[in-house]
Amino acid sequence: MSSTVPILELRGVNKSFGPVQVLNSVDLSVYPGQVTALVGDNGAGKSTLVKGVAGIYPFDAGEYLFEGKPVHVTEPRAANALGIEVVYQDLALCDNLDVVHNLFLGREQSRGLVLDEITMERRATETLRGLSVRTLKSVRQQVSSLSGGQRQTVAIARAVLWNSKVVILDEPTAALGVAQTEQVLNLVRRLADNGLAVIIISHNINDVMQVSDNVACLYLGNMAAQVASSQLTHSQVVELITTGRSGELGLQPEVVSQASA
Amino acid sequence: MSTNVTDTDIPEAREETGIAQALRDYWGRVKGGNTGSMPAVLGLIALIALFSVLQGGVFFTALNFANLLNQGTAIIVLAMGLVFVLLLGEIDLSAGFAAGTCAAVLGVTLTNRGWIWPLALAAALLTGLIIGLVLGVLVAKLGIPSFVVTLAAFLGLQGVMLLIIGEGGTIAIQNDFLLAIMNNNMPVWAGWLLWVIVVLGYASVSLRAIHNRRKYQLVSPATSVWLAKVVTLAVLLGAAVYILNIQRQIVRPGRQTCVSVDPVNQPVGCIPVIQGVPWAVLVVLILLVILTFVLGRTSYGRHIYAVGGNTEAARRAGIAVSNIKISCFMVCSFMAAIAGVLLASRDNSVSPTTGGAQTLLFAVGAAVIGGTSLFGGRGRVIDAVIGGLVVAVIANGLPLVTDQSGIQYVVTGGVLLVAASVDAITRKRTSAGG
């Protein structure tokens, strides 16, 4: 299930914080039904790029196309309205509430004044089933009783509950053990198989190679390359992250020296 | 890309859970650290048993039971308001003197200015809302810790109260309606009618919830669990109504009991009839139902829990965090205003000590003993009622056992400390469970 038309496309976006140029004419294409891994060393601009897409720090210049049309995403709500959801590393779940409450937090369904718990519980169960989530005993469990992987699952389910089209995951496996990492990566894959466009930020090259369809590598604020994962080896990704180029791939030597200057 | 991880699925079979299962689930929650009101209920039973043994003749009587409710009412109402602030993880130290200030407004407008009582009552309640608004804005918008803001208000309101009451010292309340709230009782039949309404109301609301869940094939408690809860409630409340409907005045030989509550046309020197459920119980019941609904069944209530549980998560979910905080302080001070009116009604007057002394600490103690967390995010309005009864039993029972007020303070402080320890341990357990 892949498409040749990107659902989200950035062309030549720039972002500076004061005198510091964080993003320098970056291009990115994200396709529905595909997992796009965004990699890069610390300070390469991954977070800034994602925050620009999410409308938290709007880009200074460049084109932002959604479903082929130019859009202006200058605040998080605009991104949400387009169907873009971000799952941040710290997940932002309320421990004292149960899974259903967390999934609908801030967007509760009500009938008149009264919360419609039944509709919410059914939708929550449907969504989790649709993601083939089998790790939860009950949707009425308190989040405080969940494991790290289960929490990640709840956070991801919350992002897809609202018919979102693009889901951005910031380091979803960073704090997880082996088994739970596997669960979450399977879930990420299923999101894409369900037709969503997924952007995953990760430092773990094994995870990246396992789950992604293509890899976009940032190097000191420049997009070094966006290549299909099948055409990359593990060491090539490492080389792209650390030096900005790998053989024919990547930035021209003069760009590299300029960026690192 | 297959997974070797074995997991349990979300239960496909929507089997009903019986009483045994319900008890096991409950025990599981308790072991997991979520004790709820259980320590308070056990403590209440233990205290009642203890005082009955130590002071059987005086403590366990109809008269004392009514007294105990009378002493506890204002604390329970104050604690109900405090639950809202505690749910945020904040504190309101000024609630006691907010109650006093509102009572002073009531006294001055009613007695000194001669306003009609609805207007005076409205002025008192409005004063509560305004105090809450000011506290809430200072905490939520300026970001001053609530401990400091309300400590300042604790001192400040004490002064405001003195200024309002003036040099006179005490203002008498003479309005019949306001005095009736804390001093009169319902007729016997009305007590039983109230019992029927409460039990039937609880039974039908909970049964409808179960039916709705079954209709959509969601996990629901078995009918036996529902029946057990309804019967328990009916028996407990029935016993309370029965005891309160007993003639509380001690009958002396050789003297006739009055024919009715009506003071006119009675035999000379007859013993007055004092019986029935105090009207104050109805006030507490109505507030309990309304606030429980707000916290548990509306998105506003859900947002309060969210802010108390994880403020950042609530903010990112689009919840207006400052508005929630301000509104909770307003609810708290509004409830304090009601408590102030109840105190004025009980004492037939307003004085500079109204709402002072241990009133606030008793109320905070009541909420915490009932199971509301000081760390925010966990608590219910019923906690205030259960905890308030515990505090009332201690405050009422101890003086019957010992006349040393030193011991009374030490015991009350100790109970609060035990409750706070249970709260802290609970918090540790639940966070370790993740």
Side-chain angles (χ1 to χ4, degrees):
Chain A
M1 261 181 70
S2 60
S3 157
T4 46
V5 185
I7 187 165
L8 188 155
E9 194 175 4
L10 303 176
R11 288 189 199 145
V13 294
N14 285 319
K15 179 73 193 171
S16 312
F17 293 111
V20 185
Q21 178 113 20
V22 185
L23 294 176
N24 184 16
S25 190
V26 169
D27 299 338
L28 180 72
S29 303
V30 180
Y31 298 90
Q34 291 194 10
V35 177
T36 304
L38 187 59
V39 299
D41 214 340
N42 292 339
K46 302 186 297 288
S47 297
T48 310
L49 187 63
V50 162
K51 282 178 177 155
V53 171
I56 296 170
Y57 301 140
F59 298 122
D60 296 337
E63 282 183 90
Y64 187 143
L65 304 172
F66 193 82
E67 291 177 324
K69 289 184 283 284
V71 287
H72 290 279
V73 179
T74 50
E75 53 162 13
R77 223 168 277 174
N80 292 344
L82 289 173
I84 300 172
E85 295 280 339
V86 187
V87 179
Y88 293 99
Q89 210 172 344
D90 55 356
L91 302 181
L93 298 174
C94 288
D95 274 3
N96 59 331
L97 299 179
D98 68 27
V99 173
V100 178
H101 295 165
N102 266 289
L103 288 180
F104 284 87
L105 192 62
R107 300 188 261 200
E108 291 86 0
Q109 314 267 293
S110 298
R111 260 192 292 174
L113 266 179
V114 189
L115 287 173
D116 190 351
E117 295 283 352
I118 289 181
T119 305
M120 287 195 277
E121 188 167 335
R122 290 175 69 205
R123 271 193 67 189
T125 312
E126 268 167 37
T127 304
L128 291 169
R129 284 244 174 78
L131 296 173
S132 305
V133 170
R134 309 176 139 268
T135 51
L136 289 173
K137 250 189 301 182
S138 155
V139 288
R140 287 294 177 190
Q141 256 182 302
Q142 277 209 352
V143 165
S144 61
S145 69
L146 300 183
S147 70
Q150 289 172 326
R151 281 161 193 251
Q152 190 74 52
T153 306
V154 172
I156 293 173
R158 180 161 75 181
V160 301
L161 190 62
W162 303 96
N163 300 321
S164 46
K165 296 169 179 161
V166 178
V167 175
I168 304 173
L169 305 167
D170 188 2
E171 298 264 7
T173 58
L176 302 182
V178 177
Q180 293 183 347
T181 299
E182 192 67 27
Q183 280 170 18
V184 170
L185 289 181
N186 284 340
L187 177 57
V188 169
R189 194 59 251 171
R190 275 198 294 276
L191 293 182
D193 292 345
N194 288 353
L196 269 79
V198 182
I199 302 175
I200 177 170
I201 297 180
S202 184
H203 272 126
N204 187 322
I205 317 260
N206 288 327
D207 291 359
V208 168
M209 298 306 285
Q210 181 188 337
V211 80
S212 68
D213 296 293
N214 61 82
V215 178
C217 180
L218 278 170
Y219 179 76
L220 297 175
N222 295 281
M223 184 57 76
Q226 186 174 0
V227 196
S229 315
S230 53
Q231 292 165 22
L232 282 172
T233 63
H234 191 292
S235 56
Q236 276 178 307
V237 177
V238 175
E239 229 177 318
L240 277 171
I241 290 173
T242 50
T243 66
R245 51 181 291 114
S246 166
E248 295 296 302
L249 284 170
L251 300 164
Q252 297 307 306
E254 60 270 20
V255 180
V256 174
S257 56
Q258 220 171 37
S260 33
Chain B
M1 213 184 301
S2 70
T3 170
N4 296 324
V5 184
T6 49
D7 302 308
T8 34
D9 198 351
I10 298 171
E12 283 283 352
R14 298 291 163 194
E15 83 279 15
E16 291 182 350
T17 52
I19 291 183
Q21 182 60 40
L23 286 176
R24 268 199 300 276
D25 287 352
Y26 180 71
W27 183 237
R29 278 206 300 279
V30 170
K31 276 200 296 188
N34 200 349
T35 48
S37 296
M38 195 191 64
V41 172
L42 292 181
L44 192 59
I45 294 168
L47 282 170
I48 290 175
L50 183 74
F51 286 135
S52 299
V53 171
L54 291 177
Q55 253 306 330
V58 189
F59 181 75
F60 207 78
T61 59
L63 174 65
N64 197 41
F65 184 49
N67 267 347
L68 192 150
L69 289 182
N70 209 316
Q71 289 166 340
T73 305
I75 288 169
I76 288 174
V77 171
L78 206 53
M80 283 177 167
L82 278 164
V83 166
F84 279 72
V85 171
L86 291 174
L87 274 177
L88 299 175
E90 308 278 357
I91 186 85
D92 185 354
L93 298 174
S94 67
F97 281 113
T101 305
C102 296
V105 169
L106 178 79
V108 167
T109 51
L110 190 73
T111 308
N112 296 7
R113 297 282 157 84
W115 290 15
I116 52 167
W117 71 263
L119 215 56
L121 183 64
L125 299 182
L126 186 67
T127 308
L129 283 178
I130 293 169
I131 293 171
L133 179 67
V134 173
L135 296 177
V137 167
L138 289 174
V139 171
K141 296 285 184 189
L142 270 189
I144 312 172
S146 58
F147 178 82
V148 176
V149 171
T150 60
L151 188 62
F154 171 84
L155 292 170
L157 286 176
Q158 225 169 321
V160 170
M161 202 173 137
L162 281 174
L163 293 174
I164 292 175
I165 293 178
E167 295 303 313
T170 302
I171 302 173
I173 304 280
Q174 275 142 354
N175 178 275
D176 287 339
F177 176 83
L178 292 175
L179 290 181
I181 302 174
M182 290 295 281
N183 293 303
N184 289 13
N185 303 304
M186 293 181 188
V188 170
W189 62 266
W192 286 115
L193 180 67
L194 182 66
W195 175 74
V196 170
I197 291 172
V198 169
V199 172
L200 280 186
Y202 175 77
S204 59
V205 167
S206 52
L207 189 64
R208 223 187 57 172
I210 293 177
H211 266 289
N212 271 335
R213 291 184 67 82
R214 286 200 191 136
K215 201 163 80 188
Y216 294 105
Q217 275 122 45
L218 299 172
V219 180
S220 62
T223 315
S224 56
V225 176
W226 168 78
L227 197 64
K229 281 184 181 173
V230 170
V231 169
T232 311
L233 183 79
V235 168
L236 283 178
L237 291 186
V241 172
Y242 175 78
I243 294 173
L244 288 170
N245 276 341
I246 297 172
Q247 153 75 311
R248 297 202 265 280
Q249 205 69 349
I250 297 146
V251 183
R252 292 190 194 83
R255 282 177 72 189
Q256 212 182 339
T257 309
C258 300
V259 188
S260 73
V261 192
D262 184 11
V264 200
N265 301 327
Q266 301 284 356
V268 183
C270 68
I271 298 166
V273 176
I274 301 179
Q275 62 183 159
V277 177
W279 284 106
V281 170
L282 183 65
V283 174
V284 171
L285 209 59
I286 291 172
L287 291 172
L288 173 68
V289 170
I290 294 174
L291 295 181
T292 302
F293 173 81
V294 167
L295 272 189
R297 294 274 168 268
T298 66
S299 49
Y300 168 67
R302 182 64 40 80
H303 292 172
I304 294 176
Y305 282 102
V307 170
N310 187 340
T311 310
E312 186 52 33
R315 199 189 308 279
R316 283 198 214 153
I319 294 168
V321 172
S322 354
N323 290 353
I324 295 282
K325 283 192 177 175
I326 293 171
S327 69
C328 283
F329 276 94
M330 289 176 76
V331 169
C332 182
S333 297
F334 182 78
M335 293 300 286
I338 296 178
V341 173
L342 294 177
L343 286 171
S345 168
R346 192 188 72 187
D347 301 341
N348 296 0
S349 66
V350 182
S351 75
T353 56
T354 304
Q358 313 108 317
T359 312
L360 173 85
L361 286 181
F362 275 178
V364 173
V368 176
I369 290 167
T372 295
S373 174
L374 287 165
F375 302 100
R378 188 164 44 80
R380 295 169 306 164
V381 183
I382 188 78
D383 293 348
V385 178
I386 297 171
L389 288 176
V390 173
V391 169
V393 165
I394 296 172
N396 172 287
L398 269 184
L400 300 178
V401 177
T402 168
D403 47 11
Q404 275 189 285
S405 56
I407 294 180
Q408 294 169 22
Y409 282 119
V410 170
V411 170
T412 314
V415 170
L416 178 56
L417 207 54
V418 168
S421 314
V422 170
D423 178 25
I425 294 166
T426 301
R427 186 180 148 83
K428 267 191 174 174
R429 280 239 203 140
T430 44
S431 57

